[in-house]
Amino acid sequence: MKNLPQIPQDFQDKTVLITGAGSGIGQAAATLFARRGARVAVVDIQTEGGRETVARIRAEGGTAEFFEADLSREEQVESVVARTVAVFGGLHCAFNNAGISPRPGPFHELALTEWERVIAVNLTSVFLCMKHEIRHMLGAGGGSIVNTASGAGFVPAPFLPHYTASKHGVLGLTKVAAKEYARHHIRVNAVCPGVTATPMMEATLAQRPDMKEMLAGTVPMGRMGEPAEIAEAVLWLCSDAASFVSGESMAVDGASVCR
Ligand SMILES: NC(=O)c1ccc[n+]([C@@H]2O[C@H](COP(=O)([O-])OP(=O)(O)OC[C@H]3O[C@@H](n4cnc5c(N)ncnc54)[C@H](O)[C@@H]3O)[C@@H](O)[C@H]2O)c1
């Protein structure tokens, strides 16, 4: 980072692939990793957001490329991982974060198509990303992966059975891979954000403005989290400072789900 020499450059030799990096938590993580010296593969289905993230990083002197992909499609995931390695010469860390927040509704009225859409984007995409990232990392001698789950990965979110199931599933995939690949020097962890002030959350609150105070009231700290606060936890989990941490599901939620 040319403009900010005082910031530690502990990711200087690392390439990080970040999904959903065109907005919210993914964008905050992409910016943070780049400031710490990483080369960042910015992956998103939305061109505008992805390009904006790359522009922000480059404006600060960092290194990033945008790769457009629908991560629920295996051929697109495979291509993004291959292009990341081709452009940057490696893949050391991955933050599988892209996701959608569906409209709440009664369980017994949930359409199969809506169930399948949420599972495809929130769970199948994480499976596909991990599969192709791990293939590369096995050949390269190791790596570190962080997946985004949610408080809904630990506890049920009523009226959101599809979202709840997808995020419980992300924690399951995280733990399986952590066990399977521990001896191959691949660490796999999950971050579980609480209510966080991102465009996803803003879209929800635009439909139900009354929910803002109610949601903040459910957080013991009395406020929503900021995307940068989630990004800091992801950076630490990816870093060598977390070298003995794998299979962990880290809540970053102002003490919301602990018991
Ligand atoms: N914001 C919260 O309160 C909160 C709480 C818990 C968990 N999360 C999780 O955090 C993650 C990031 O959420 P956010 O709040 O930053 O949301 P966001 O909507 O701001 O960002 C999500 C990004 O994912 C991208 N995306 C969606 N579908 C995609 C696909 N098929 N392929 C590629 N990219 C796709 C979107 O284009 C968007 O840029 C999600 O997995 C979400 O479930 C968010």
Side-chain angles (χ1 to χ4, degrees), residues 100-102 118 122 149-150 152 157 160-168 200:
I100 49 176
S101 177
V118 172
N122 286 6
S150 163
L160 289 166
H162 39 0
Y163 188 78
T164 301
S166 71
K167 295 302 188 181
H168 274 64
M200 175 190 277

Side-chain angles (χ1 to χ4, degrees), residues 196-215:
T196 309
T198 66
M200 175 190 277
M201 185 51 65
E202 280 162 24
T204 307
L205 294 176
Q207 290 165 14
R208 292 276 312 273
D210 56 303
M211 274 173 63
K212 189 168 183 177
E213 232 171 89
M214 191 267 283
L215 275 176

Side-chain angles (χ1 to χ4, degrees), residues 19-27 43-47 49-50 67-73 76 95-102 120-122 125-126 147-152 163 166-167 170 191-203 215 224-225 227 230:
T19 74
S23 178
I25 292 166
Q27 185 171 66
V43 185
D44 207 292
I45 197 168
Q46 288 193 44
T47 311
F67 301 106
E68 186 181 322
D70 176 352
L71 298 161
S72 62
R73 307 275 302 275
Q76 297 193 26
F95 178 33
N96 301 317
N97 161 76
I100 49 176
S101 177
V121 178
N122 286 6
S125 77
V126 175
N147 299 317
T148 300
S150 163
Y163 188 78
S166 71
K167 295 302 188 181
V170 168
V191 67
C192 301
V195 184
T196 309
T198 66
M200 175 190 277
M201 185 51 65
E202 280 162 24
L215 275 176
M224 291 193 193
I230 314 300

Side-chain angles (χ1 to χ4, degrees), residues 2-243:
K2 291 168 201 143
N3 301 339
L4 301 165
Q6 74 278 21
I7 294 175
Q9 297 294 282
D10 44 345
F11 281 82
Q12 190 151 36
D13 301 320
K14 303 268 169 74
T15 295
V16 185
L17 185 158
I18 301 180
T19 74
S23 178
I25 292 166
Q27 185 171 66
T31 310
L32 180 63
F33 274 99
R35 285 183 184 153
R36 299 285 279 264
R39 301 176 290 261
V40 184
V42 170
V43 185
D44 207 292
I45 197 168
Q46 288 193 44
T47 311
E48 201 181 324
R51 288 198 176 140
E52 185 198 308
T53 303
V54 169
R56 281 188 196 191
I57 289 172
R58 289 182 181 163
E60 292 187 355
T63 303
E65 286 290 339
F66 173 54
F67 301 106
E68 186 181 322
D70 176 352
L71 298 161
S72 62
R73 307 275 302 275
E74 180 158 19
E75 72 283 4
Q76 297 193 26
V77 173
E78 190 172 9
S79 160
V80 157
V81 172
R83 283 153 68 204
T84 299
V85 173
V87 168
F88 293 126
L91 174 62
H92 306 93
C93 307
F95 178 33
N96 301 317
N97 161 76
I100 49 176
S101 177
R103 194 182 275 264
F107 196 128
H108 66 279
E109 289 176 7
L110 179 60
L112 177 60
T113 49
E114 182 60 358
W115 163 270
E116 287 173 341
R117 184 179 77 95
V118 172
I119 294 297
V121 178
N122 286 6
L123 181 58
T124 307
S125 77
V126 175
F127 158 68
L128 292 172
C129 286
M130 290 172 73
K131 173 179 167 180
H132 290 284
E133 291 155 2
I134 287 168
R135 279 184 178 186
H136 173 77
M137 288 173 179
L138 278 173
S144 176
I145 295 174
V146 177
N147 299 317
T148 300
S150 163
F154 296 123
V155 295
F159 303 103
L160 289 166
H162 39 0
Y163 188 78
T164 301
S166 71
K167 295 302 188 181
H168 274 64
V170 168
L171 295 188
L173 292 177
T174 301
K175 292 178 216 176
V176 168
K179 292 265 191 200
E180 264 190 65
Y181 299 104
R183 286 185 188 275
H184 298 273
H185 312 290
I186 300 172
R187 295 186 300 105
V188 189
N189 291 289
V191 67
C192 301
V195 184
T196 309
T198 66
M200 175 190 277
M201 185 51 65
E202 280 162 24
T204 307
L205 294 176
Q207 290 165 14
R208 292 276 312 273
D210 56 303
M211 274 173 63
K212 189 168 183 177
E213 232 171 89
M214 191 267 283
L215 275 176
T218 65
V219 183
M221 284 191 186
R223 65 171 179 88
M224 291 193 193
E226 292 298 325
E229 294 178 302
I230 314 300
E232 288 285 355
V234 175
L235 183 115
W236 181 78
L237 284 170
C238 279
S239 75
D240 292 343
S243 52

